[in-house]
Amino acid sequence: MLSYHKLGEILLEKGAIKEEQLQEALAKQKINGRQLGDVLLELGFIKESDIIEGLGKQLNIPYASLSEGVLKPNEQQELDKLIPESLAREHCLIPISKHLNSLTIAFADPLDLVVQDNVRRMTKCGVNPLIASRNDIEEAIDSFYGKRDLLREVIEQTRTTTGKKSGKSGNLDLNELVKKAEEAPVIRLVNLLFKQAIDERASDIHVEPLEGGMSIRYRVDGALYKISPPDEALLPAMVSRIKILSGLDIAERRLPQDGGFSLTVKARKVDTRVSTMPTVNGEKVVVRILDKASVPLDLKQLGFESADLEKFSSAINQPYGLVFLTGPTGSGKTTTLYAALSQINSPRKNLITVEDPVEYHLEGVNQVQVRPNIGLTFASGLRSFLRQDPDIMMVGEVRDLETAEICIQAALTGHFVLSTLHTNDAPGAISRLIDIGVEPFLLSASLSLVVAQRLVRCLCPKCKKLYEPDAEEKEKIGFQDGEKFYQAGGCKECHFTGYKGRTSIHEVMAVDTELKHLIWQGKSDSILKEAAVKSGMVTLQASGFSKIRAGITTVEEVLAVTGAG
């Protein structure tokens, strides 16, 4: 039995109510016999969250708030398999995390010991209870289970057709694969899979065979998360359906294949790239979603600091020269390339690109797809370009000496050339090119600018929280008194990740006279970097720290992508 006087004292101590309000509520409680919290709510003296937090202190149970990101289930632990949605909704509870044999669960009524006992017996785990408001838990349930059961209606229909425990799918003959791939439930399932991925801003869909099951995952803002998969018996039919759409050979299941197709979603065209890979458990399919509407083609939207944007814009508007973008796969280099081409595109200029693959089609730009199987490589395409009277050339990637030399010769003979390299930072582009055989004197004469970049996740503006950095973080980022720092929260808007969208951090190295001289001398990356910083280059880490100070991202994100820890 709860001591309502004690609850009142807690609320008084917390400053949530005044003494006269408590006395009025207690007097009314004597008349109607209702719980003190309900009376306080009815009188409008307090918010529900204050009562729940007060009850938590009274019961010595931690309070979990949706707005503070505590009701954020661990995405990697498949908690929905331990606590089904029906149970969560019936008893208004949400699993948060699992450690060893202990489950942390938020309850609207943590005093319902029968429910806790049922959960213990069902999961074979101990229970660490939290207390949360009913509204917060219901919203968390909608987001958590909704994300994993986006395809629930169609999946349940297909399970009804195939049987819930169908076991291994076995080897289907070609005719049966085609027939199943063209069945209405499979078509609906695949269509909904793509639609939901686009609505979720996913960049990739992974359909993977597992031993004893299958997995479907979306990549959103660089991170993969699972959705509830259908019966594994549908895997061959789903893979065949995607292969049919992509123009691939559904009979070939032993070798990797690549293809693609286009679809229309909400009156806009979305392209896809499809890759299949045979694994020991069956064929895995990865679909890259190329939604041009989601790609910012304005350089001002790419996260450049004003001084760096000015350097970059100045370099790409020169009539000749060589500009490189560097970074690992998935660092946003292609997006920056396309944004640069969009800015300098003009009817007065002849723009040609050679890419592998052509990800987005740009109006007014002649784009060429590399086809090594017929001899159309980066190098052979570039040689042909020079006979096409180009003003501006974009090369998807410099992979060998021949391609690098043609780019340099083009830059030295009055053309502007854009390309990419895989290096850790901007000065690293110099040593990389010299390593593949480029002469330093040619590089110093042709190179105008190198940009290194990374992508960091942006804090969700609706739930980010202020916090005080610890001593180590203060030292790393050069903390100044009075500066505000934020950390990830978690809300429905960001699917309880605390992040929504991504932005770039950059290291822009303009190749001035001093750097040209150092390159010609074959100096090391460290010497080049030191000279570039003296000339005003902002390093990747410093660029990231400026995003932290602006409240855009977190220390963890910046240190993760810059390799500093």
Side-chain angles (χ1 to χ4, degrees), residues 357-402:
V358 175
E359 293 197 2
Y360 300 99
H361 297 281
L362 300 176
E363 187 176 350
V365 179
N366 302 287
Q367 295 174 268
V368 176
Q369 168 71 54
V370 167
R371 299 184 185 277
N373 57 321
I374 60 172
L376 180 53
T377 62
F378 282 116
S380 62
L382 278 171
R383 282 193 297 270
S384 298
F385 282 6
L386 294 173
R387 297 190 289 272
Q388 290 283 315
D389 186 30
D391 296 296
I392 298 167
M393 298 191 297
M394 190 270 273
V395 184
E397 183 184 349
V398 169
R399 299 174 179 173
D400 52 52
L401 176 59
E402 186 179 10

Side-chain angles (χ1 to χ4, degrees), residues 5 14 34 38 54 106 139 241 244 268 271 329 391 394 403 408 445 463 469 525 539 546 557:
H5 180 66
K14 183 175 180 287
R34 299 178 62 193
D38 292 338
E139 190 170 336
R241 176 64 184 166
I244 289 170
R268 73 178 190 266
D271 295 321
T329 301
D391 296 296
M394 190 270 273
T403 305
I408 289 170
C463 63
D525 290 353
T539 65
S546 70
E557 278 291 297

Side-chain angles (χ1 to χ4, degrees), residues 152-165 231 234:
R152 182 175 54 215
E153 180 183 347
V154 175
I155 287 171
E156 288 305 318
Q157 290 178 2
T158 54
R159 281 178 175 166
T160 300
T161 303
T162 61
K164 289 190 178 181
K165 294 183 180 179
D231 189 277
L234 288 173

Side-chain angles (χ1 to χ4, degrees), residues 125-245:
C125 292
V127 173
N128 294 322
L130 306 178
I131 187 170
S133 73
R134 183 170 292 273
N135 288 338
D136 275 5
I137 290 179
E138 287 175 351
E139 190 170 336
I141 287 172
D142 287 341
S143 179
F144 177 61
Y145 289 96
K147 181 185 287 186
R148 283 156 181 76
D149 293 330
L150 295 169
L151 311 175
R152 182 175 54 215
E153 180 183 347
V154 175
I155 287 171
E156 288 305 318
Q157 290 178 2
T158 54
R159 281 178 175 166
T160 300
T161 303
T162 61
K164 289 190 178 181
K165 294 183 180 179
S166 58
K168 289 286 182 183
S169 55
N171 294 318
L172 302 176
D173 64 35
L174 184 58
N175 291 332
E176 191 174 353
L177 274 177
V178 173
K179 181 180 177 181
K180 285 188 174 294
E182 294 177 348
E183 289 178 354
V186 174
I187 292 173
R188 286 188 65 202
L189 180 60
V190 172
N191 289 349
L192 189 55
L193 189 72
F194 289 128
K195 179 182 181 301
Q196 188 60 51
I198 293 166
D199 288 344
E200 292 278 331
R201 302 177 296 106
S203 60
D204 301 87
I205 305 171
H206 291 241
V207 180
E208 302 164 294
L210 305 175
E211 187 172 355
M214 67 179 292
S215 167
I216 298 178
R217 296 188 290 174
Y218 290 156
R219 186 181 294 280
V220 179
D221 295 335
L224 284 166
Y225 72 81
K226 287 185 177 182
I227 65 170
S228 188
D231 189 277
E232 67 166 316
L234 288 173
L235 177 62
M238 289 177 63
V239 171
S240 295
R241 176 64 184 166
I242 296 172
K243 282 178 152 185
I244 289 170
L245 291 172

Side-chain angles (χ1 to χ4, degrees), residues 90-344:
E90 181 181 356
H91 298 293
C92 201
L93 57 90
I94 182 80
I96 304 299
S97 63
K98 181 177 183 288
H99 180 67
L100 300 177
N101 287 323
S102 180
L103 271 173
T104 297
I105 301 176
F107 296 87
D109 183 6
L111 292 179
D112 192 335
L113 302 181
V114 174
V115 172
Q116 290 192 33
D117 187 57
N118 289 339
V119 170
R120 287 189 192 95
R121 285 189 286 106
M122 182 180 70
T123 62
K124 295 182 173 62
C125 292
V127 173
N128 294 322
L130 306 178
I131 187 170
S133 73
R134 183 170 292 273
N135 288 338
D136 275 5
I137 290 179
E138 287 175 351
E139 190 170 336
I141 287 172
D142 287 341
S143 179
F144 177 61
Y145 289 96
K147 181 185 287 186
R148 283 156 181 76
D149 293 330
L150 295 169
L151 311 175
R152 182 175 54 215
E153 180 183 347
V154 175
I155 287 171
E156 288 305 318
Q157 290 178 2
T158 54
R159 281 178 175 166
T160 300
T161 303
T162 61
K164 289 190 178 181
K165 294 183 180 179
S166 58
K168 289 286 182 183
S169 55
N171 294 318
L172 302 176
D173 64 35
L174 184 58
N175 291 332
E176 191 174 353
L177 274 177
V178 173
K179 181 180 177 181
K180 285 188 174 294
E182 294 177 348
E183 289 178 354
V186 174
I187 292 173
R188 286 188 65 202
L189 180 60
V190 172
N191 289 349
L192 189 55
L193 189 72
F194 289 128
K195 179 182 181 301
Q196 188 60 51
I198 293 166
D199 288 344
E200 292 278 331
R201 302 177 296 106
S203 60
D204 301 87
I205 305 171
H206 291 241
V207 180
E208 302 164 294
L210 305 175
E211 187 172 355
M214 67 179 292
S215 167
I216 298 178
R217 296 188 290 174
Y218 290 156
R219 186 181 294 280
V220 179
D221 295 335
L224 284 166
Y225 72 81
K226 287 185 177 182
I227 65 170
S228 188
D231 189 277
E232 67 166 316
L234 288 173
L235 177 62
M238 289 177 63
V239 171
S240 295
R241 176 64 184 166
I242 296 172
K243 282 178 152 185
I244 289 170
L245 291 172
S246 309
L248 302 179
D249 183 358
I250 65 171
E252 180 54 77
R253 284 171 273 170
R254 302 165 301 169
L255 297 173
Q257 296 187 69
D258 295 298
F261 60 94
S262 299
L263 63 157
T264 302
V265 178
K266 297 180 180 178
R268 73 178 190 266
K269 183 181 176 183
V270 176
D271 295 321
T272 69
R273 259 196 355 248
V274 177
S275 171
T276 69
M277 176 70 68
T279 74
V280 293
N281 294 314
E283 279 188 286
K284 173 181 176 176
V285 178
V286 176
V287 182
R288 169 64 56 89
I289 298 172
L290 305 170
D291 184 2
K292 189 175 179 180
S294 67
V295 177
L297 294 181
D298 183 351
L299 287 175
K300 294 178 182 178
Q301 299 179 31
L302 296 183
F304 280 99
E305 301 294 329
S306 56
D308 287 341
L309 179 59
E310 186 177 343
K311 290 178 187 177
F312 187 59
S313 296
S314 175
I316 64 175
N317 280 286
Q318 295 301 313
Y320 57 86
L322 179 58
V323 171
F324 277 107
L325 293 173
T326 77
T329 301
S331 59
K333 299 188 299 295
T334 301
T335 299
T336 306
L337 280 178
Y338 283 147
L341 288 175
S342 296
Q343 177 167 312
I344 60 182

Side-chain angles (χ1 to χ4, degrees), residues 20-75:
E20 56 268 27
Q21 292 175 324
L22 174 60
Q23 294 306 321
E24 182 180 345
L26 288 170
K28 189 166 185 177
Q29 183 199 12
K30 288 180 181 178
I31 297 172
N32 59 29
R34 299 178 62 193
Q35 294 184 350
L36 178 61
D38 292 338
V39 175
L40 288 166
L41 276 176
E42 185 180 304
L43 292 171
F45 292 159
I46 202 167
K47 296 183 295 184
E48 184 185 20
S49 59
D50 291 322
I51 293 177
I52 302 298
E53 188 174 357
L55 284 170
K57 288 184 178 179
Q58 185 184 39
L59 300 170
N60 199 26
I61 296 175
Y63 169 62
S65 167
L66 187 68
S67 62
E68 294 180 359
V70 181
L71 291 180
K72 186 170 73 171
N74 190 310
E75 298 283 355

